[in-house]
Amino acid sequence: QVQVVESGGGSVQAGGSLRLDCTASGFDVYHYAMGWFRQAPGKEREGVSCMTGSRSGGNTYYLDSVKGRFTISKDNAKNTLYLQMNSLKPEDTAMYYCAAAACGLGIIRKADFGSWGQGTQVTVSS
């Protein structure tokens, strides 16, 4: 069964940092593109960052508003995806989700297989 579990969210002040973890089961994050998504109250879910699979070179893509602040990475041994978030802003407040993804220039979307995890809440106060 393809499954992901997110963790690592919390409450921080603006300028602070958090690292989100996404542990996968039922498939290898090494081989598949993986992405981070977020949904703020009253807004649509949006793609935040994505890393392609090994055969596509592990390229990374970011939402413009998080470029230079967020870093996506994978630990293949732990089958885990990470999102290091620095210089957090109040507008980063949202529920964050990971999922197998499809990504490219200007494209970060959930893949057609697998389901969403339960998400992890990030709250940034000013």
Side-chain angles (χ1 to χ4, degrees), residues 34-68:
M34 295 291 297
W36 285 99
F37 304 80
R38 69 186 180 188
Q39 187 167 19
K43 295 188 177 181
E44 292 188 355
R45 194 169 301 189
E46 63 179 352
V48 175
S49 182
C50 190
M51 176 180 276
T52 62
S54 57
R55 282 182 282 185
S56 299
N59 297 318
T60 58
Y61 301 88
Y62 297 93
L63 186 67
D64 283 347
S65 62
V66 308
K67 284 180 181 177

Side-chain angles (χ1 to χ4, degrees), residues 8-101:
S11 297
V12 296
Q13 291 191 324
S17 298
L18 285 171
R19 191 190 79 178
L20 305 184
D21 296 5
C22 169
T23 301
S25 58
F27 70 106
D28 290 332
V29 300
Y30 175 74
H31 292 297
Y32 290 92
M34 295 291 297
W36 285 99
F37 304 80
R38 69 186 180 188
Q39 187 167 19
K43 295 188 177 181
E44 292 188 355
R45 194 169 301 189
E46 63 179 352
V48 175
S49 182
C50 190
M51 176 180 276
T52 62
S54 57
R55 282 182 282 185
S56 299
N59 297 318
T60 58
Y61 301 88
Y62 297 93
L63 186 67
D64 283 347
S65 62
V66 308
K67 284 180 181 177
R69 300 189 297 121
F70 290 10
T71 303
I72 191 171
S73 62
K74 294 178 183 177
D75 184 328
N76 299 322
K78 295 182 178 179
N79 209 32
T80 298
L81 178 75
Y82 301 105
L83 186 68
Q84 178 66 45
M85 305 186 297
N86 299 327
S87 302
L88 281 161
K89 303 177 180 181
E91 51 264 42
D92 295 318
T93 294
M95 185 72 80
Y96 283 72
Y97 303 86
C98 75

